[in-house]
């Protein structure tokens, strides 16, 4: 016999435990596109406590739709080691251009990241940040449904040692921080430099270069990195997104491991 109330209680209790246990983390990632997912995979694999918040019901961001809904993605040579590690299959189109099925790419990446320990809360949006002494120390969260409906409902908060803005073109967390500390971002102008027009070759290189700390405690990865530091967009080529996620993870791992060594 199956009892509907037991089913409901199981969901409520398990979800409550999961949320409550993850209100403090080493790293909070905002946005579950390719960059955020890869960062989450590498950080979780290194046994850090990592929580991801994604506004939509599904994670994967802009990767599902390939280019203009043709659901194949292009990845260049230098990102193939990441596809190999994740066991995402690809085929050579011509030298330095490889294609992968976008559905296999998103689902495999999601599975590997979850199994490595990444905790994902979907349908939750970061609407603000916690700040202490000029440092980002966490996120202010609300249900996406509340946000979309425009309801007046107060949010909840979580604390993290580092936050990654992986919100893509919108670069939402950086925008929130910029409003509080105008002129003090770690960009050339101190402001958000803004995304430039499409230039795949340059954009892919810059995505990696621009993946870094933009304010104390806050890193940018993926398209958010270029939107913050003034790089161009790149279109449906994903090597830069994958490598950016990996770089963000390794920069933060370095910091966490140094702090652990210093006993802080
Ligand atoms: O846009 P998205 O896929 O970001 P990405 O990882 O990858 C960019 C590529 O998809 C593509 C491209 C590649 O060549 O240019 O655009 O940089 O994923 C961003 C995710 O963040 C979520 C959003 O729903 C999407 O799934 N997101 C955005 N703002 C918030 C958020 C927020 N405030 N809270 C939670 N999730």
């Amino acid at each position: 016999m199956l009892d509907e109330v037991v089913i409901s209680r199981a969901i409520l209790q398990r979800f409550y435990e999961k949320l409550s246990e993850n209100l403090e983390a080493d790293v909070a990632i905002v946005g579950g596109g390719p960059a955020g997912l890869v960062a989450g995979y590498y950080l979780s694999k290194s046994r850090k406590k990592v929580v991801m918040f994604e506004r939509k019901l599904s994670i994967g961001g802009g990767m599902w739709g390939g280019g203009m809904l043709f659901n194949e993605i292009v990845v260049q040579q230098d990102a193939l080691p990441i596809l190999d590690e994740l066991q995402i299959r690809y085929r050579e189109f011509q030298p330095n251009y490889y294609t992968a099925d976008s559905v296999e790419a998103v689902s495999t990446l999601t599975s590997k990241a979850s199994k490595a320990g990444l905790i994902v809360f979907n349908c939750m949006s970061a609407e603000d940040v916690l700040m202490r002494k000029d440092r980002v120390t966490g996120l202010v969260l609300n249900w996406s449904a509340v946000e979309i409906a425009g309801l007046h409902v107060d949010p909840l908060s979580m604390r993290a040692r580092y936050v990654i803005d992986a919100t893509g073109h919108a670069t939402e967390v950086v925008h929130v921080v910029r409003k509080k500390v105008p002129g003090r971002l770690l960009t050339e102008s101190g402001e958000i430099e803004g995304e430039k027009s499409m230039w795949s070759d340059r954009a892919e290189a810059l995505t990696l270069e621009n993946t870094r700390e933009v304010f104390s405690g806050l890193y940018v990865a993926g398209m958010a990195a270029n939107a913050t530091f003034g790089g161009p967009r790149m279109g449906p080529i994903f090597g830069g997104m994958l490598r950016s996620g990996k770089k963000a993870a390794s920069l933060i791992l370095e910091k966490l491991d140094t702090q652990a060594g210093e006993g802080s």
Side-chain angles (χ1 to χ4, degrees), residues 71-85:
N71 66 355
E72 288 280 323
I73 58 167
V74 174
V75 173
Q76 59 277 52
Q77 180 95 34
D78 52 17
L80 295 185
I82 300 177
L83 293 187
D84 287 333
E85 171 161 0

Side-chain angles (χ1 to χ4, degrees), residues 30-237:
V30 185
L37 281 170
V38 170
Y41 167 75
Y42 282 106
L43 286 160
S44 304
K45 196 180 136 200
S46 300
R47 303 190 164 279
K48 302 304 173 200
K49 191 171 174 191
V50 195
V51 192
M52 171 180 283
F53 301 96
E54 166 54 52
R55 170 176 288 133
K56 296 195 178 135
L57 192 53
S58 63
I59 58 172
M63 196 146 70
W64 294 107
M68 214 172 132
L69 290 184
F70 297 101
N71 66 355
E72 288 280 323
I73 58 167
V74 174
V75 173
Q76 59 277 52
Q77 180 95 34
D78 52 17
L80 295 185
I82 300 177
L83 293 187
D84 287 333
E85 171 161 0
L86 294 164
Q87 295 177 298
I88 295 169
R89 294 170 299 172
Y90 54 84
R91 286 193 295 156
E92 186 178 76
F93 181 71
Q94 65 178 59
N96 201 29
Y97 296 80
Y98 297 81
T99 60
D101 179 278
S102 70
V103 175
E104 177 178 339
V106 175
S107 55
T108 308
L109 179 48
T110 305
S111 167
K112 295 276 179 187
S114 303
K115 286 182 193 300
L118 176 69
I119 300 292
V120 179
F121 291 100
N122 55 343
C123 299
M124 259 190 224
S125 298
E127 61 168 52
D128 202 344
V129 294
L130 299 184
M131 282 179 88
R132 296 287 183 277
K133 294 186 203 150
D134 281 346
R135 182 179 172 83
V136 172
T137 57
L139 295 170
V140 177
L141 303 161
N142 217 326
W143 295 115
S144 305
V146 165
E147 178 191 69
I148 292 161
L151 301 177
H152 185 170
V153 178
D154 271 332
L156 294 176
S157 307
M158 63 86 58
R159 190 159 35 238
R161 295 170 73 187
Y162 292 96
V163 170
I164 302 178
D165 182 339
T167 63
H169 298 269
T171 184
E172 291 196 19
V173 185
V174 178
H175 273 279
V176 162
V177 171
R178 187 261 150 210
K179 268 194 209 152
K180 327 246 171 204
V181 289
R184 289 178 47 209
L185 298 178
L186 300 172
T187 59
E188 217 173 285
S189 64
E191 298 288 348
I192 296 168
E193 306 286 356
E195 183 183 300
K196 305 291 186 292
S197 295
M198 194 182 291
W199 184 352
S200 304
D201 189 52
R202 191 158 162 68
E204 285 292 285
L206 280 175
T207 308
L208 206 60
E209 209 175 290
N210 291 334
T211 299
R212 50 193 149 113
E213 200 166 29
V214 62
F215 192 75
S216 180
L218 176 64
Y219 284 71
V220 277
M223 202 52 231
N226 274 0
T228 299
F229 286 98
R233 62 186 305 186
M234 74 289 296
I237 179 155

